[in-house]
Amino acid sequence: MRNYILRRLAIMLVSLVGVSIIIFVSIRLVPGDVVSLMMGQQGDMAAGQAEQMRKLFGLDRPMYIQYLDWAGDIIRGDFGVSLRSGRPILPDILLRTPITLELASLSALIALVVSIPMGVFAAVKRDSIPALLAQVGSLGGLSIPAFWLGTMVILFSSRYLHFYGGGTYISPREDLIGNLRMFALPSLTVGFSLSAALVRYTRSAMLEILGEDYVRTARAKGLWEFRVVMRHALPNAMIPIITVIGLQMGFLLGGVVVIESVFALPGMGRLVVDAINQRDYPMVQGVILLLTGIVMLTSLVVDLMYAYVDPRIRYE
Amino acid sequence: MTDSESSKKNLQLNMTRRQFLKLSAASLGALTFGKLLAGCSPATEVATEMPTTVPLPTPTLAGPKSGGVLLSAAETNPTGFDPHKVLSLASQSMCEQVYDTMFELDPDLNVVPRLCKSYDTPDDKTYIFHLEEGVQFSDGTDLTSEDVVFSIQRMYDPNVGGARAAWFSNVDTVEAVDPITVRMTTKIPYAPMINNLANSFNGIVSKMFCEANSNNLDNVMMGSGPFVLGEYVPDQTIRLDRNPLYWRQGKPYLDGISSKIIPDDQGRVAALRAKEVDVAWFIDSTIADLFKDDPEYVVYEVPVLTHASTWINCSVEPLTDVRVRQALSYAIDRKAFLDTVAFGKGVVTGPIPAPEMEWALPVSDYPQYTQNKEMAMSLLQEAGAEGATIKLKVSPQYVLDTGNAQVLQSQLRDVGINLELETVEWGNLLDAWYVSDFEMLNLLMLGQPDPDGYTWGRFHSTSLGNFAKINDPDLDALLDAQRSTLDRAARKDILDQVQRKIVEVTPMLYYYCYYVWGIFRPYVKGVTPMANSSGVYLMNEWLDK
C-alpha cells in the first residue's frame, strides 16, 4: 500500500509539471493579454502605455524564461504577484480555499444523505409510487440548471424570508451558526443538483447488485431484507457511487462558479474565472495548479477508498 | 475672458456655493431637488436631448446627520490601490474616497477647486497653483507643495507605469515655490491639463508615505481624502472608515462605507430585498422597474458618459472613401438603436457624450443624424460601393454591443450594404481594436475627463489612440487648435467645429449614452449621482435614520 501511494504521488508530481506547462502556454495563446484587458475600452487613452506596462510585467521576455522563473518561484513556495491587483497570489488563494472546500463538502454531504437512501429505496421498492417520485425528482434535479435554481432560491429567501447572507465569509471558528446560515442556500442548491445524479447511480448500482447470486443466497438463508440490503448489497454498490462522488468533487472545486457568483461566495471558481477573463497569468497558473493538485489527491483518496469498501481490492 | 479669469470666476462662484452648503444642508436638499426635478421627464419618451440628471427622490428638510455606516453592494473587486496606475472603475471608486485631487468635477462636470483653491496662468504655458492651507494626510502629516510636485511627477514617471502618463507628457517642469504654491510649465499650451488634474484617478499622494513603501502603492492607501481604507478582503468586503482629520469641516457625514462584493445582478437585487445593503447600482433597466413603485426604495436614473458606438477603419477599402462612411451615417436611424436595444433608456449622442453639457453639441446640429436612405444610396453609388460587403467585429461581452450590431446590420441592408457580423471573444476584440485589425468594430466607449480625449485622442493622425486610422489635415488642425486654446469659450467654439467635422468625416458612428440606475434605501440622503460614474460626493451622503 505504501509503495502504491508513493508511486501515485510520484506520478502526480510529473503530471503537475506537465499541467503547469500546458496552463502556462495555453493561457498565453488566448488572444488579448493582461495589458489589453486592463486597458479595456480605455485603450485609446492609454495606448502609449501598453508596451511600458508589458515591460514592467516582464511579458516582453521569451516565454521559456518566463516559465522557468515562475516554476522556480513555485518550487520555493512563491506563487508570485497578481498582475491585475498587485497582491501576492498565495494568500488570496488560501483565503478562498476553505470556502470552496466547505461548499463542496457540505454539498456532497447533503447529496449523500439525500441520494443514497432515495436511490436504495428506489431500487428495493422499484415499482412503488414513492420510488417513482424519487426517480421523477432526480430527473427534475438533473434537468433544472443550478444557476436558475440558485436564482430562484435567493429571490424567494430575500423576498419572503428577508435573508440573503452572501458577500461576506463567516468562518466557522468565529460563528458556526452564521457560517452554516451562509452556506445553507448554496449548498442546498448544489447538493440538490448533485444528489439527482447520485440517486440514479445508486439506484442502478443497487438494481444490479440485488440481482446477484449472493444476494439471492442471503435471502434464501432467511436473512432479514434490511440486513440483505444494508450488509450485502449496498457496500458492493458503493464503488460506482464513490467514483461518481470523486468525479463530482473535482467539478465542485472549480466548476460551481455560477453558484459562487449568484450567492456572492468568494470561492476558487470565481477567482479562476475572473483571472482567466482578465488574463491574470500568474493567478490563473497558481489557482489551476493548486486545483489540479487537489483533484489528483481526491482521486487518490477515492482509489484508496475502493480498497476500504471492497476488501477484494488490494494495492500492491 | 481668459482662462485664468474664468477659472477665478468659477472658484468664486464655487466658494459661495460651498459656504452655502456649510450653512444649510436644507439648501443642499433644495439644490439637489432642483436638479432632480429637471430630470424627471425622460423616462417615458425617447430622449434625444440631454436630461439634466435624475428623477426626484423625496426632498428632505432636515439637516444632515453625522454617523452611521452606509452598506453598499459593489460589483467587482478593485484592481489595485495605486491611484496613478489603476484603470478600473472599482479602483477609482476607492481611490477617490481616500485621495484628494487638485480639482474636482461638480455634478454638471464643471471643474471646481479641491486641494487647489485657485490658480493663475501668467502665460499660456505656466500654471501657478495655490493650495488649501492646513490640509493633512490621514497619518497626521501636512500635505504640502512637495507632495503635489511628487504626485504630478509620479503620474508620468516611466518607472511607475502610470496608466494616464500620456495626459502629462506635455508637462515641462513642476516645482514647489513655497509650501502652498506649485508652479508648473508645459511644453506647449495644453488646455486639457486642468480637467486631467480633476480626474479622480489623479490623486495627490504623500511623498513620505510613498518613499516608506518603496513607491509601491499597489496594496496600501493613505491620502488626505474623506475616508481611509479600513479593510479589504478580496471578493468579500471593502470597508472605508471616516478620516477624522479631513480638512473639509464636518465632512464626511458617514462614519464609514461597507461594501459587499456581489458580482451577480440577482445577488445584488436579493441583498437589497433582504435589506442587507442600502444601495446597489444596475445597468439593466428591468431591474430598476422592480423597485420603481416600491416606497421602500428610491430609484435614481443617471445618464452616463459611456456611449455606444462603431469604429470605422478609414484605411481599408471601401471605407477609405469618405462618401461611403457618410453613407453609413445617413443610412441609420440612431433613435431606433436607442429604442430597440436600450429600450429608449438613454439619449442619442454625438462625438462628445451628451451628458458633457459644457461641450457637447446638440445632435440636432448634425444633418447626418436625420436618416436619409436616398442620400446614403446616392453617396454609395458615387463611390462605386453599392452592394459592398463590410465586416463588423463585435463581442458578446456587452449585450448592448451585440444588439447595436444587429440593428446596424438590418438598417444597412436597406441601402444595399451587406454587413457581416464577426463575433469574437472580448480579449480578441480589444487586441483587434488596438492594432486596427477591423473594418468596423462595435465598442461601448467610456467617458474621458476632458473633451480632448473624445477628439484629439481618438482622431488626430499622430495619436496612438487613432485606431480608426483617419488622417484628415483639416481635422488635425482643428484638433490641435482646441488643444492649445486655454480660453474656455474660444475652445468651445473650436470644439463645436471639431464635432461637426468628426460627424462629417465619420471615423465612428455614435448612437447613444445609456442610463444606469442607483437603487437606494430612502433614508440615504444627499445622494449626488454623477454622469462620469464618480462617487466623489459620497462625503455629502448621510443616513436619516
Side-chain angles (χ1 to χ4, degrees):
Chain A
M1 176 74 103
R2 204 182 64 182
N3 286 344
Y4 173 78
I5 294 175
L6 287 175
R7 201 167 61 239
R8 281 289 296 267
L9 288 175
I11 293 170
M12 263 178 63
L13 210 61
V14 176
S15 306
L16 279 175
V17 172
V19 167
S20 73
I21 294 171
I22 292 169
I23 311 163
F24 192 91
V25 174
S26 59
I27 186 68
R28 281 167 174 74
L29 291 179
V30 180
D33 70 359
V34 61
V35 175
S36 307
L37 269 293
M38 275 173 88
M39 293 196 299
Q41 295 113 301
Q42 300 178 72
D44 53 344
M45 177 191 82
Q49 307 308 310
E51 286 318 306
Q52 185 76 34
M53 288 158 86
R54 285 193 182 96
K55 201 170 172 187
L56 282 174
F57 291 154
L59 300 175
D60 56 339
R61 297 171 306 155
M63 203 187 286
Y64 74 92
I65 292 184
Q66 291 181 48
Y67 175 78
L68 290 176
D69 276 358
W70 172 71
D73 288 345
I74 291 282
I75 291 166
R76 285 190 292 272
D78 177 5
F79 278 60
V81 171
S82 160
L83 299 182
R84 188 76 178 175
S85 67
R87 294 167 56 87
I89 284 169
L90 195 56
D92 269 8
I93 297 178
L94 294 179
L95 197 71
R96 286 154 171 94
T97 313
I99 297 163
T100 296
L101 287 178
E102 187 171 350
L103 175 64
S105 311
L106 284 176
S107 304
L109 187 70
I110 288 169
L112 281 174
V113 168
V114 171
S115 62
I116 292 183
M118 271 176 74
V120 170
F121 185 82
V124 174
K125 304 279 183 192
R126 60 177 148 176
D127 295 324
S128 67
I129 290 177
L132 194 67
L133 288 178
Q135 272 189 279
V136 171
S138 80
L139 195 64
L142 282 175
S143 317
I144 295 172
F147 71 86
W148 181 84
L149 185 64
T151 305
M152 291 301 110
V153 165
I154 59 160
L155 288 180
F156 179 83
S157 76
S158 64
R159 177 106 205 185
Y160 299 106
L161 309 177
H162 298 295
F163 172 70
Y164 171 58
T168 311
Y169 175 61
I170 303 162
S171 161
R173 276 171 297 183
E174 289 165 20
D175 176 3
L176 182 62
I177 301 296
N179 172 272
L180 291 177
R181 268 164 63 91
M182 180 188 178
F183 279 99
L185 298 179
S187 48
L188 275 171
T189 306
V190 178
F192 177 70
S193 301
L194 185 57
S195 63
L198 278 179
V199 167
R200 295 176 77 82
Y201 275 102
T202 310
R203 180 178 173 274
S204 71
M206 280 297 289
L207 280 175
E208 194 183 326
I209 299 291
L210 287 171
E212 293 283 341
D213 288 347
Y214 63 86
V215 173
R216 197 170 57 236
T217 309
R219 281 181 180 141
K221 281 199 300 182
L223 279 183
W224 180 35
E225 183 64 18
F226 182 77
R227 194 172 163 81
V228 171
V229 171
M230 300 309 287
R231 180 67 200 259
H232 294 273
L234 185 59
N236 288 306
M238 284 305 282
I239 289 206
I241 298 170
I242 289 171
T243 307
V244 172
I245 293 172
L247 291 173
Q248 293 284 2
M249 283 302 277
F251 164 75
L252 288 177
L253 291 173
V256 287
V257 61
V258 180
I259 292 296
E260 286 178 0
S261 286
V262 170
F263 288 97
L265 280 177
M268 303 266 270
R270 235 171 92 187
L271 181 68
V272 74
V273 169
D274 286 349
I276 291 170
N277 284 337
Q278 295 164 351
R279 311 290 192 274
D280 191 346
Y281 301 143
M283 181 65 88
V284 175
Q285 291 155 200
V287 181
I288 304 245
L289 198 65
L290 208 73
L291 279 175
T292 310
I294 295 174
V295 171
M296 285 175 176
L297 276 176
T298 311
S299 153
L300 177 61
V301 171
V302 166
D303 285 352
L304 296 178
M305 279 178 72
Y306 290 159
Y308 177 76
V309 297
D310 187 345
R312 290 170 299 179
I313 296 174
R314 291 275 184 275
Y315 294 115
E316 297 304 335
Chain B
M1 191 189 289
T2 66
D3 188 53
S4 148
E5 282 165 349
S6 68
S7 65
K8 278 182 175 166
K9 191 174 174 192
N10 267 340
L11 302 186
Q12 206 174 11
L13 283 172
N14 185 67
M15 283 306 289
T16 310
R17 181 172 161 271
R18 282 197 359 223
Q19 285 162 353
F20 189 59
L21 290 174
K22 279 179 191 169
L23 283 172
S24 164
S27 305
L28 171 70
L31 285 173
T32 315
F33 184 89
K35 265 178 59 57
L36 304 179
L37 189 62
C40 271
S41 57
T44 50
E45 206 170 307
V46 174
T48 51
E49 298 300 328
M50 197 45 224
T52 309
T53 169
V54 293
L56 178 67
T58 313
T60 176
L61 295 175
K65 282 190 254 176
S66 291
V69 174
L70 180 75
L71 305 174
S72 75
E75 205 172 331
T76 56
N77 287 317
T79 52
F81 296 154
D82 189 327
H84 304 149
K85 286 165 68 176
V86 294
L87 277 155
S88 71
L89 285 176
S91 289
Q92 180 189 21
S93 66
M94 287 186 75
C95 289
E96 64 191 4
Q97 304 307 333
V98 174
Y99 295 101
D100 272 317
T101 43
M102 290 288 277
F103 302 90
E104 66 187 23
L105 298 178
D106 74 8
D108 293 331
L109 305 183
N110 299 309
V111 175
V112 292
R114 189 152 173 167
L115 283 176
C116 173
K117 62 181 177 184
S118 65
Y119 70 95
D120 306 307
T121 48
D123 61 64
D124 58 8
K125 290 195 283 186
T126 306
Y127 297 88
I128 311 288
F129 298 122
H130 304 287
L131 306 180
E132 287 279 356
E133 289 178 63
V135 177
Q136 288 183 318
F137 287 107
S138 59
D139 67 354
T141 57
D142 290 336
L143 187 154
T144 68
S145 53
E146 290 289 343
D147 298 301
V148 173
V149 170
F150 174 80
S151 299
I152 294 177
Q153 288 173 338
R154 191 175 185 276
M155 291 170 198
Y156 59 85
D157 180 350
N159 296 319
V160 173
R164 286 155 292 277
W167 295 357
F168 299 96
S169 58
N170 289 315
V171 173
D172 191 15
T173 60
V174 202
E175 57 193 9
V177 177
D178 62 47
I180 54 160
T181 311
V182 174
R183 183 173 182 277
M184 181 166 85
T185 59
T186 54
K187 295 169 193 162
I188 53 166
Y190 184 63
M193 186 57 76
I194 298 300
N195 271 55
N196 287 345
L197 285 171
N199 183 260
S200 56
F201 280 117
N202 294 327
I204 300 303
V205 299
S206 157
K207 183 181 179 187
M208 204 188 346
F209 183 74
C210 275
E211 286 171 352
N213 285 282
S214 314
N215 210 11
N216 182 347
L217 300 181
D218 285 341
N219 297 303
V220 286
M221 296 185 106
M222 201 285 291
S224 61
F227 293 93
V228 296
L229 177 63
E231 185 189 24
Y232 167 53
V233 187
D235 277 342
Q236 295 188 42
T237 48
I238 303 164
R239 202 190 76 236
L240 297 174
D241 299 329
R242 184 175 193 273
N243 174 7
L245 299 178
Y246 193 51
W247 55 280
R248 279 169 161 166
Q249 199 91 44
K251 302 286 180 67
Y253 297 124
L254 295 167
D255 285 341
I257 306 159
S258 179
S259 299
K260 284 185 176 190
I261 298 170
I262 307 176
D264 187 72
D265 271 1
Q266 294 310 328
R268 292 199 302 288
V269 168
L272 273 170
R273 286 269 186 232
K275 302 190 172 67
E276 291 179 16
V277 297
D278 301 322
V279 52
W281 287 86
F282 301 90
I283 295 179
D284 186 345
S285 63
T286 57
I287 290 177
D289 292 342
L290 294 175
F291 293 92
K292 218 169 239 173
D293 300 320
D294 190 333
E296 295 203 84
Y297 302 91
V298 175
V299 178
Y300 289 82
E301 181 177 81
V302 188
V304 291
L305 297 177
T306 308
H307 41 294
S309 48
T310 298
W311 284 76
I312 300 175
N313 188 338
C314 306
S315 68
V316 296
E317 295 293 345
L319 300 165
T320 47
D321 191 325
V322 69
R323 290 169 298 184
V324 177
R325 304 197 300 268
Q326 286 169 339
L328 301 178
S329 187
Y330 276 115
I332 59 172
D333 173 8
R334 290 162 175 84
K335 230 168 126 243
F337 283 74
L338 176 61
D339 286 347
T340 315
V341 186
F343 306 110
K345 310 280 188 183
V347 56
V348 172
T349 188
I352 296 180
E356 293 268 17
M357 283 177 277
E358 184 181 0
W359 306 107
L361 267 184
V363 293
S364 53
D365 269 36
Y366 307 127
Q368 297 85 344
Y369 271 50
T370 306
Q371 189 182 31
N372 187 338
K373 292 182 190 174
E374 290 73 33
M375 172 76 91
M377 285 191 275
S378 141
L379 284 165
L380 287 171
Q381 199 173 17
E382 275 178 38
E386 313 102 303
T389 294
I390 301 172
K391 287 183 182 150
L392 174 88
K393 283 191 174 164
V394 62
S395 159
Q397 176 86 359
Y398 297 108
V399 69
L400 292 180
D401 273 335
T402 45
N404 294 329
Q406 286 161 1
V407 177
L408 184 64
Q409 185 182 43
S410 148
Q411 296 197 354
L412 292 186
R413 193 180 298 130
D414 292 347
V415 296
I417 296 273
N418 175 31
L419 191 71
E420 281 183 4
L421 305 189
E422 190 187 338
T423 306
V424 294
E425 194 270 340
W426 178 238
N428 205 331
L429 183 94
L430 292 174
D431 268 3
W433 181 47
Y434 295 143
V435 296
S436 301
D437 176 21
F438 60 88
E439 293 180 14
M440 287 168 69
L441 181 144
N442 266 21
L443 202 56
L444 293 177
M445 297 304 299
L446 302 180
Q448 301 281 324
D450 185 88
D452 189 68
Y454 304 113
T455 56
W456 198 101
R458 290 180 186 168
F459 305 123
H460 194 278
S461 58
T462 63
S463 169
L464 292 170
N466 177 15
F467 303 131
K469 296 276 176 201
I470 187 160
N471 187 350
D472 184 311
D474 295 341
L475 179 59
D476 277 0
L478 283 171
L479 290 170
D480 286 333
Q482 67 78 26
R483 189 172 240 212
S484 59
T485 304
L486 269 61
D487 179 86
R488 289 182 95 86
R491 189 178 180 216
K492 163 78 177 142
D493 284 343
I494 303 170
L495 276 166
D496 287 353
Q497 296 175 55
V498 166
Q499 291 173 81
R500 289 194 187 94
K501 185 74 182 170
I502 290 171
V503 173
E504 182 195 321
V505 297
T506 322
M508 199 180 217
L509 297 172
Y510 300 91
Y511 309 121
Y512 53 85
C513 295
Y514 55 84
Y515 296 152
V516 296
W517 284 268
I519 319 274
F520 284 72
R521 301 279 286 135
Y523 49 74
V524 183
K525 306 292 186 189
V527 178
T528 313
M530 302 275 287
N532 61 354
S533 307
S534 164
V536 75
Y537 291 110
L538 230 148
M539 70 176 92
N540 293 338
E541 289 187 20
W542 55 283
L543 303 177
D544 188 16
K545 66 172 183 180

